[in-house]
Amino acid sequence: MDLVQTEIPEGFTRSAGGGHTEEYYLNMGPQHPSTHGVLRLMVRLDGETVKEIVPHIGYIHRSIEKMAESQSLIQNIHLTDRLDYLSCHMTNLGLCLAIEQGADVGVPERAEYIRIIVCELQRIQSHLLWWGCFAMDLGALTAFLYGFDEREKITDLFEELCGARLTMNYFRPGGCVSDLPNEFIPRILKICEHMKTTLDEYDNLVSKNMIIRERTQGVGILSKERALSHGCTGPVARASGINYDVRKDEPYGIYNRFDFDVPLGATGDCYDRYTVRIEEMRQSIRILEQACKDLPDGDFRSKEKPNYKIPKDEHSFSSVETARGNFSTYVVSDGGKTPYRIKYRSPNFSHIGAINDMASGYKLADLVTVLATLDPVIPDIDR
Amino acid sequence: MGIDLQLIPKVLDPLPGGKGLTNAVDYIVNWARSSSLWPLVYGTSCCAIEMMATGAARHDISRFGAEVFRASPRQADLIILAGTLTEKMSHHLKTLYEQMPEPKYVIAMGACTISGGPFYYDNYSVIKGADRIVPVDVFIPGCPPRPEALLHGILELQKLISGETIRQPRVPRPLNDDPMIDRHSADAAAWKEEDKKIQEELAGKREQWAAENPDFKAYKGERFKNVSGPKMGHTPVERSCTSVADICAAVHDKFPDIPLYNKAEITDEELAELSPQYIPDFVVGQEQYTAFISFLKNHADLNMDLLLQVTAVDWKDHFDVLVHLYSTTGKHKIFVRCSVDYSKENDTPEIDTISHLFSGANWHEREIFDLFGITFTNHPDMRRILLRDDFVGHPLRKDFEDSSRIVKRPY
Ligand code: SF4
């Protein structure tokens, strides 16, 4: 059998072979435990060194943008849950902000605070899941159990808030569906207090672990220029030293009232991406404490409209910072009940596009580390 | 094991008391099988998170012997279909299923794998029910089902397994190979017929009842009242960034004849009054498109260094290709819009690529090519990105129709 492949697979810049050793192609996915879903990576390898990576996406393309065109704006909120399901409060908020902007709807003070509290809580929740999976991808199962244990506590809170554990569908244009349940704030404060000690525990368990450090430090470096060129945002961009956080730079809601820092990395390697996320959890706790302290009484939603319409030929654009980066919603209207077109900008889409820059030149096992620190949510990429 | 299990009933059953022995063998085999199910690590979307939660500390799937999640289908005997199944993935699912050794079981988790769930209507890519591809043993409803529901599903499967006997060994079940047939219409028509018959039968009884109880008033449900707050208008958040007037001045310095979208006649005073929330949206012609984007990127003050997205809108007679840019130094956004002609006769709209300016544009442009059918000239790798290569048509075009895939929303 002729083992040497002469044809270049789709997307590669040159064929394997030539040089001193024989290069070959390896397929990873779409069914692979470390691709976090159904991502497929084709890798050109020289021995164990990754030479080039070509990602294939679309295995969970659910045509959400097409469906959006035949549903009213409000009916679309539950579909945004299914984009980035680990930060679905934030994606809900993205669409709600776009509707509020286009249909001129205001938000009462209390609702603004509720939004911040819920979003930051979810950021912690999402990062906890990432932390568990990151350690598991590197071979440490204990961390997975720890991470999920903490996550369940926050999931309980969300369940009390809106009845769902994962697909929340809680925000509406002009506020939220319902008020906070009783005893919600003290419980959040308790979780915050608890999380502080837990994060120190996590540092001892994983961050200071020699093996984890060896496997992440100096691995998967993404330079600032390449990150910008690929359109990376969120923790990935911040680890590469790009000071861009939507919450700080284009504040939405009332984020401009809170005092928090944006952690930045220096080198853009896997360890930086790791520490940036851990630090983000600490900052989220800070925001939570401030917001819980100041939470005013009042309405949780402004007056409802039976129909939220954006005027003809107008468009509205909103950006929010999800746990993964800049999530933008672009709504084009033709004056009808349903949007003419909705486009969601997914942060993961750009990150996976940059994976060739990050992981080529390293070993195949490092590719798994890089993927784990990107924290991709595949349905968000494919939409 | 070395023993052919099927021989056991043949040898034992004719012996006196042998039936009991066969039953005992059945019992042991089924007990072993059902309490050590090895699921495959397979999860496509949201439901997979609940599957992970089931495996984690609180819900602890290992209480039921199913904690050994295997990464290879060759070592697994259970596949939990956690998440939506799309057409592109369905071929891989088939391969996975075929690679699993017998006996193998399938649990369909979530509304998506039962019927397509939230993605049933107006959807061109989701398979409307996983049992159109592989045979399913247990369906778990929910979106997503709670971990307890998944555990319940596993218990149900265990019950199913404990009913098996080696007297009638399992035959491999055939794969289903018509994922896109329209089962709904025929069923709906049948239901309608059935309903009509029932109504006819009941009509007489209803009249009789109404005559016997003339004073009866049916309970009319009350509408759930929403607690609604004050009416208020949108107040944008204050933010500091380069003002719209400055951006326009910088742009019109080099490109004087580029208007703002919907604001072509705007005066300088009106420009100065625009809030920072307004994002300038420039309309450029195709000749100037790449030159303009490259100007925005390299301009010292504007410095549009981050490409948010490239996308398109189908206006039926032409497409608008939209480029959304952000500057990490000036904190402002600029939109660029370029119209691409399109008509039924000229079905191959074309525009220049900007992927040499922003690497990120590469994938965005491929997505537009895939969903709108706009070709980007000089693009290094113009292929479909989200859909399969053999997909016919470009689904985000307004005139896209595919009755084999899409079920239209009836309301
Ligand atoms: S059933 Fe619901 S939660 Fe599960 S994959 Fe489908 S949309 Fe996601």
Side-chain angles (χ1 to χ4, degrees), chain A residues 38-80:
Chain A
V38 280
L39 174 67
R40 176 169 161 229
L41 301 172
M42 280 287 278
V43 193
R44 181 156 59 81
L45 288 165
D46 177 2
E48 236 192 289
T49 312
V50 176
K51 288 284 171 188
E52 192 178 358
I53 304 165
V54 175
H56 294 263
I57 61 172
Y59 290 94
I60 185 71
H61 173 59
R62 300 191 274 191
S63 46
I64 286 177
E65 284 168 11
K66 179 80 178 176
M67 290 174 74
E69 290 170 11
S70 56
Q71 307 186 7
S72 73
L73 282 164
I74 281 250
Q75 285 172 333
N76 266 307
I77 295 177
H78 87 283
L79 284 181
T80 58

Side-chain angles (χ1 to χ4, degrees), chain B residues 2-54:
Chain B
I3 314 169
D4 190 352
L5 282 178
Q6 292 170 27
L7 276 180
I8 295 177
K10 279 186 196 135
V11 176
L12 287 183
D13 277 359
L15 301 179
K19 288 214 167 80
L21 268 179
T22 315
N23 289 349
V25 174
D26 264 348
Y27 180 78
I28 293 171
V29 169
N30 290 343
W31 167 78
R33 244 179 218 166
S34 64
S35 43
S36 71
L37 289 167
W38 286 16
L40 177 74
V41 186
Y42 168 93
T44 58
S45 51
C46 350
C47 277
I49 301 294
E50 286 298 63
M51 187 174 78
M52 278 158 77
T54 318

Side-chain angles (χ1 to χ4, degrees), chain B residues 277-322:
Chain B
Q277 224 64 25
Y278 174 80
I279 303 167
D281 190 344
F282 295 102
V283 187
V284 291
Q286 274 206 40
E287 340 64 70
Q288 286 178 315
Y289 173 67
T290 30
F292 185 59
I293 306 254
S294 141
F295 160 78
L296 289 179
K297 187 188 173 201
N298 297 323
H299 191 281
D301 294 334
L302 293 177
N303 187 25
M304 311 304 298
D305 46 6
L306 187 80
L307 176 86
L308 286 175
Q309 60 186 352
V310 186
T311 182
V313 180
D314 180 3
W315 291 110
K316 297 201 178 125
D317 51 347
H318 69 279
F319 292 107
D320 268 352
V321 171
L322 310 156

Side-chain angles (χ1 to χ4, degrees), chain A residues 31 57 59 61-63 66 70-71 82 104 106 156 159 165 229 250 299 303 315 340-341 345 383, chain B residues 41 50 84 86 88 122-125 143 146 230 234 281 308 311-312 314 333 359 367 385 398:
Chain A
Q31 163 64 28
I57 61 172
Y59 290 94
H61 173 59
R62 300 191 274 191
S63 46
K66 179 80 178 176
S70 56
Q71 307 186 7
R82 274 111 188 136
D104 189 26
D156 279 351
E159 197 177 352
R165 285 165 51 89
S229 174
E250 318 161 66
D299 294 306
K303 188 160 175 49
H315 55 231
Y340 191 72
R341 164 133 171 81
R345 182 219 187 249
R383 277 155 289 136
Chain B
V41 186
E50 286 298 63
T84 322
T86 60
K88 194 170 176 178
D122 303 314
N123 198 307
Y124 52 83
S125 60
C143 181
R146 296 178 55 89
H234 182 63
D281 190 344
L308 286 175
T311 182
D314 180 3
K333 286 198 191 102
S359 321
E367 189 190 315
I385 186 167
K398 290 284 173 186

